[in-house]
Amino acid sequence: MENQLDNPARPKEPLAYQLKIHLLGISPQIYRRLTVRADTTLALLHHIIQVVMGWENWHLHSFHIWGKQYGIRYGGSYFADDANQIRLGDFPWRVNDKFTYVYDFTDHWLHQIRIEKIQSGVKPLQPPSCLSGKRACPPEEVGGIEAYRQRTLDQFSWMRELVMGILEGDPIDKQDLDVPDWFWTYRSEQFDRVEVNRRLAKLYQLKGESDFLYSRGGYDYFFEHEPLP
């Protein structure tokens, strides 16, 4: 298939894509379904994926599209093309075409992204929108798929131990359990589409700020004033 990057012409009418993103290797499936405009750059798409999946943008990433890698250039990483100049609509997608996105080269979270629909007549300022999703993405730096599976079992065991201690009148001090902080708040089955779309709306307002598009190291600064649903 010819890559439209060799042809600088843009689509003549506003287009949007309905994408399904799911994290490979984990069952039950962790996925998100969303719509994004065709003029979305790969740099912005990276941040959209981070927000809808629930990642914190702590690590490097890359897209693999038709045999070539793309991503935002950070210190220590290099890509031949500028992700701020390449748009999703530069590729001649067909329905059911797929590409991949890797986040965190150590834990290697591999996402498959499938083009489910191609829509025309999109409003010029229409922001990306999350349509549906299931389950929370793994905690940052948990160690990859196998470590995630073991840690979720550990989380259940430790929470059970705490509850049993309370029921038996001999509560266990959480400080006595050597577990990471996220063990007390992480809920693997939780997904809040309303909050995701609230953050996407904020992201869309900030998309022109170069410091955001090149940011790495967490989103707290950008979303700290967002009210909870």
Side-chain angles (χ1 to χ4, degrees):
M1 184 179 296
E2 180 184 357
N3 190 330
Q4 192 169 329
L5 289 176
D6 297 330
N7 182 351
R10 306 288 189 192
K12 293 183 179 180
E13 61 178 333
L15 296 178
Y17 302 103
Q18 179 175 304
L19 309 178
K20 182 182 179 182
I21 304 171
H22 81 270
L23 189 56
L24 297 177
I26 294 178
S27 181
Q29 192 176 96
I30 299 171
Y31 81 89
R32 307 288 184 262
R33 179 170 283 112
L34 66 152
T35 58
V36 296
R37 286 174 52 89
D39 61 3
T40 300
T41 66
L42 294 186
L44 180 56
L45 182 60
H46 156 67
H47 291 292
I48 291 171
I49 293 171
Q50 290 282 300
V51 170
V52 298
M53 292 301 296
W55 298 117
E56 294 293 338
N57 197 36
W58 289 359
H59 301 282
L60 299 175
H61 71 279
S62 69
F63 293 96
H64 194 263
I65 304 175
W66 295 341
K68 188 172 181 178
Q69 286 192 325
Y70 303 89
I72 301 175
R73 299 168 185 165
Y74 296 118
S77 66
Y78 172 78
F79 299 96
D81 297 285
D82 185 352
N84 288 283
Q85 300 299 321
I86 300 172
R87 306 180 186 212
L88 194 56
D90 289 337
F91 301 90
W93 301 111
R94 298 176 182 173
V95 172
N96 290 323
D97 279 348
K98 301 173 184 177
F99 60 103
T100 58
Y101 169 84
V102 175
Y103 173 60
D104 187 349
F105 296 161
T106 300
D107 285 3
H108 196 77
W109 300 113
L110 179 61
H111 305 69
Q112 177 181 277
I113 304 173
R114 180 165 66 90
I115 309 291
E116 289 192 321
K117 295 180 181 179
I118 300 176
Q119 305 167 339
S120 61
V122 178
K123 296 179 181 179
L125 297 178
Q126 180 176 315
S129 175
C130 182
L131 306 175
S132 62
K134 291 289 185 181
R135 310 187 73 220
C137 70
E140 293 279 3
E141 300 183 342
V142 72
I145 291 175
E146 293 304 322
Y148 165 74
R149 289 172 179 157
Q150 184 59 50
R151 296 300 183 270
T152 51
L153 291 175
D154 292 343
Q155 184 189 43
F156 174 80
S157 298
W158 279 319
M159 292 300 291
R160 182 178 182 277
E161 187 176 346
L162 283 172
V163 171
M164 292 301 295
I166 293 172
L167 294 176
E168 294 172 359
D170 185 22
I172 299 172
D173 190 336
K174 289 196 298 185
Q175 301 300 322
D176 294 337
L177 293 176
D178 184 20
V179 298
D181 291 341
W182 62 259
F183 266 60
W184 311 114
T185 58
Y186 179 70
R187 300 291 180 267
S188 62
E189 303 308 309
Q190 182 172 312
F191 170 69
D192 188 339
R193 185 176 68 88
V194 172
E195 176 63 12
V196 166
N197 279 320
R198 196 187 306 275
R199 291 189 169 210
L200 283 175
K202 183 72 170 181
L203 170 64
Y204 194 76
Q205 294 171 15
L206 294 167
K207 69 174 185 174
E209 298 185 6
S210 60
D211 62 338
F212 185 88
L213 293 180
Y214 285 99
S215 67
R216 183 165 67 91
Y219 288 133
D220 290 347
Y221 170 79
F222 298 103
F223 298 128
E224 62 181 351
H225 299 302
E226 284 295 290
L228 294 175

